[in-house]
Amino acid sequence: MRVLVALGGNAILQPGQRGVAAEQRENVQKTVEQIVRMIRASHEVVITHGNGPQVGAILIQNELGSAKVPAMPMDLCGAESQGLIGYMFCQSLENTMRREGIEGREPVCLVTRVEVNPDDPAFSHPTKPVGPFSTEEAARKRMAETGEHWIEDAGRGWRRVVASPDPTGIVERNVINTLVSKGFVVVASGGGGIPVVRRPDGSLEGVEAVIDKDLAGERLAAEVKADVFMILTDVPAVSVNYRQPGERRLHRVTADEVEAFEREGHFKAGSMGPKVKAALRFVRNGGKRAIIASLNDALEALEGASGTQIVP
Ligand code: ADP
Ligand code: MG
């Protein structure tokens, strides 16, 4: 089967860790061991991943270093994070496949742009906090000077917010499909991809926004015609009444059933909400099966024995 695997934050950084390089490398190695189990079982895997903590760190470095070296805009920071994370995955994939005697499956990481609509309503309602916290005074100064949006973030200080527009397509779709069809293990669209808009003259331009990695993952799954779209995270399955009396894990559900639970408000915005939305889009667009499962049960979930299986 061809599987698009979307990895959550826990694939690279565990809660409570500081994010030193050795920790991230170790987490990526554990993640890759799960992925290589699927490759061993002869599945064709395409990988995407989040970048929240990593791009957050890059933004802080840019901000604090700006007296000495110019700070870079968000699209460039996003590209930087894709390279950083993609390199860790390629190194681990290469070494692990070699150790396990898997031949002819070279990994490759692609810096990927994802198109968004310049008229997306998200641009007039920025919601996604990014970068370092600041004082009210500094935030107000930045807003006046740059036109950026800053908000007070739950008593923790002021923080910049950017738009989270809907992904419409993967710019590198042809390159990715060529690589996948030749047997490469492709890592693409990291952090939801670098958001770009098409200008009236046809040219592309990077924008300061963040695309949800699960929704971008769905676009990638559709582009590579994946049989399965698999979202791996830090819970074993999707629940209704999550962390409440009557909590129940969903094993196998149809899109209609999940949509009814979604309307009842069982999936939190910013965490399970976008995963369910992305999974629903995949099966509504002709996908055969979407899975939301724990990273630790990747192969079991693919075989239908674990996680939440969403079918048309
Ligand atoms: P990732 O980094 O993998 O995208 P998120 O934190 O964004 O992870 O989303 C996973 C989290 O969603 C889980 O840790 C869980 O706390 C939360 N969550 C919210 N609603 C639900 C639900 N209905 N069922 C299961 N998990 C849920
Ligand atoms: Mg998330």
Side-chain angles (χ1 to χ4, degrees):
M1 276 186 285
R2 181 173 291 178
V3 191
L4 189 291
V5 177
L7 298 165
N10 66 322
I12 313 169
L13 204 58
Q14 300 294 327
Q17 290 182 333
R18 280 182 61 225
V20 297
E23 289 167 341
Q24 303 199 50
R25 284 203 173 104
E26 203 176 302
N27 295 324
V28 166
Q29 178 59 32
K30 285 189 188 136
T31 299
V32 160
E33 281 167 18
Q34 294 297 324
I35 290 168
V36 168
R37 289 173 69 216
M38 295 191 271
I39 297 173
R40 269 201 94 89
S42 302
H43 298 296
E44 245 181 357
V45 179
V46 183
I47 301 164
T48 192
H49 57 80
N51 73 342
Q54 292 76 23
V55 79
I58 293 169
L59 289 167
I60 291 172
Q61 288 161 352
N62 272 269
E63 174 81 24
L64 295 181
S66 62
K68 286 215 164 165
V69 283
M72 295 293 127
M74 279 193 66
D75 56 334
L76 300 193
C77 293
E80 225 179 297
S81 77
Q82 286 187 347
L84 181 154
I85 298 167
Y87 158 62
M88 290 195 289
F89 273 101
C90 284
Q91 191 92 310
S92 270
L93 281 161
E94 176 107 36
N95 290 338
T96 307
M97 289 193 289
R98 183 192 161 92
R99 194 187 68 209
E100 304 230 341
I102 296 170
E103 279 171 15
R105 309 300 314 274
E106 275 176 71
V108 58
C109 155
L110 208 70
V111 172
T112 312
R113 293 162 294 166
V114 172
E115 208 174 323
V116 299
N117 186 341
D119 301 322
D120 192 306
F123 284 111
S124 41
H125 299 99
T127 53
K128 180 88 187 157
V130 289
F133 288 94
S134 190
T135 62
E136 177 171 358
E137 192 191 357
R140 292 204 182 281
K141 190 156 169 267
R142 275 289 280 263
M143 283 194 276
E145 282 172 8
T146 63
E148 292 173 2
H149 293 266
W150 287 67
I151 55 157
E152 214 279 320
D153 189 344
R156 295 182 296 175
W158 284 65
R159 203 158 177 218
R160 185 175 174 199
V161 285
V162 295
S164 190
D166 223 8
T168 60
I170 311 282
V171 176
E172 284 80 4
R173 61 175 75 82
N174 292 331
V175 183
I176 294 170
N177 272 314
T178 303
L179 292 169
V180 169
S181 69
K182 292 203 182 307
F184 289 92
V185 180
V186 179
V187 181
S189 189
I194 303 162
V196 297
V197 295
R198 199 170 289 282
R199 295 302 176 198
D201 69 356
S203 63
L204 290 172
E205 189 182 1
V207 289
E208 302 224 295
V210 171
I211 303 173
D212 180 81
K213 72 117 193 351
D214 297 310
L215 296 178
E218 185 278 328
R219 291 288 77 215
L220 189 57
E223 297 287 8
V224 301
K225 300 193 167 54
D227 299 295
V228 177
F229 173 34
M230 185 179 215
I231 300 174
L232 296 176
T233 183
D234 57 1
V235 284
V238 183
S239 292
V240 289
N241 300 316
Y242 179 65
R243 288 190 170 162
Q244 280 166 24
E247 173 168 358
R248 180 168 64 90
R249 283 186 191 159
L250 302 174
H251 176 51
R252 193 183 166 87
V253 279
T254 65
D256 285 347
E257 288 165 339
V258 175
E259 222 160 54
F261 290 134
E262 188 184 40
R263 274 196 301 271
E264 289 170 17
H266 288 279
F267 315 125
K268 267 223 311 264
S271 59
M272 194 48 75
K275 295 183 202 312
V276 166
K277 190 169 169 185
L280 275 170
R281 277 188 189 174
F282 182 70
V283 296
R284 292 289 191 212
N285 288 334
K288 292 195 270 291
R289 181 162 59 115
I291 301 171
I292 301 173
S294 162
L295 175 57
N296 304 322
D297 313 326
L299 183 58
E300 292 75 9
L302 188 56
E303 289 167 349
S306 184
T308 297
Q309 314 274 327
I310 301 168
V311 294

